[in-house]
Amino acid sequence: MFERADRGTLFLDEIGELPACHQAALLRVLDDGRVSRIGSEREEAVDFRLVTATNRDLRRMVEQGSFRGDLYHRLAALKVAMPPLRDRREDVALLARHFLAAMADDVGVKELSEGAIGALEAHTWPGNARELRNVLYRAAALSPGRVITEAEIEIETPRRLAAPAKFCLEELPEARVRELVARHRGNVAGAARELGVPRSTLRDHLKRVG
């Protein structure tokens, strides 16, 4: 794949799942710009742009020791955060029409009624774009007409998960809490979100410890 991407772009999805041994190999290629096939004694120079994607928190993985810090810094030269679909509802209709156009050869040309678009935009999409595409495919395949109605949009209601055990900030070392808030540049809401506690809980805790 490195050879095929020579003078082009190589996209590696789910980079956070890369095993440690492969992380070392990838880092070596990025540093040296050379690869050799298994069993070959000759190295080939490769020149490519690397784009990676992940839904994991690589910085936290580095802190936990499950992702190489040197590889992270090599990959993080330019980072683009893609918010989940629930935080960009204005994109739902655009993506829906794109997916319907892409699957037209399979399920026929389909359109969405205003009610259907409203139902799609009202959902939180925990499965993001993949879930949206599956919902549309099912609706398009079963809809007898050209226009998909709101009644034909079937969205599974996620099961209610058991409430997590109560988190106690007092159990964390004070230095760890301060480091976390500093890393978020004083943004209490961001630090609280990473800890999984309400913002008011963290704010009150910080007031108590001064």
Side-chain angles (χ1 to χ4, degrees), residues 157-176:
T157 303
R159 295 181 179 179
R160 185 165 184 170
L161 301 178
K166 187 175 180 181
F167 181 82
C168 182
L169 275 174
E170 309 300 336
E171 297 175 357
L172 275 183
E174 183 178 334
R176 172 74 178 100

Side-chain angles (χ1 to χ4, degrees), residues 139-157:
L142 298 178
S143 176
R146 180 187 178 98
V147 178
I148 299 173
T149 65
E150 179 180 358
E152 293 169 328
I153 298 293
E154 298 180 12
I155 300 177
E156 295 181 2
T157 303

Side-chain angles (χ1 to χ4, degrees), residues 167-178 180 191 194-195 197 202 205 209:
F167 181 82
C168 182
L169 275 174
E170 309 300 336
E171 297 175 357
L172 275 183
E174 183 178 334
R176 172 74 178 100
V177 177
R178 293 183 182 278
L180 181 63
E194 182 172 337
L195 285 171
V197 300
L202 178 56
H205 175 80
V209 299

Side-chain angles (χ1 to χ4, degrees), residues 93-202:
L94 180 67
L95 282 172
R97 294 188 178 101
H98 166 75
F99 287 142
L100 286 177
M103 63 181 70
D105 288 343
D106 192 12
V107 297
V109 177
K110 300 288 183 177
E111 300 175 4
L112 291 165
S113 70
E114 291 299 320
I117 292 176
L120 295 175
E121 290 179 337
H123 187 50
T124 56
W125 301 111
N128 283 304
R130 287 188 180 94
E131 182 187 2
L132 173 61
R133 188 188 186 285
N134 289 340
V135 167
L136 288 168
Y137 186 89
R138 180 166 58 246
L142 298 178
S143 176
R146 180 187 178 98
V147 178
I148 299 173
T149 65
E150 179 180 358
E152 293 169 328
I153 298 293
E154 298 180 12
I155 300 177
E156 295 181 2
T157 303
R159 295 181 179 179
R160 185 165 184 170
L161 301 178
K166 187 175 180 181
F167 181 82
C168 182
L169 275 174
E170 309 300 336
E171 297 175 357
L172 275 183
E174 183 178 334
R176 172 74 178 100
V177 177
R178 293 183 182 278
E179 183 273 333
L180 181 63
V181 175
R183 178 147 51 85
H184 283 270
R185 299 181 180 179
N187 187 318
V188 176
R193 188 161 48 248
E194 182 172 337
L195 285 171
V197 300
R199 178 176 55 183
S200 57
T201 300
L202 178 56

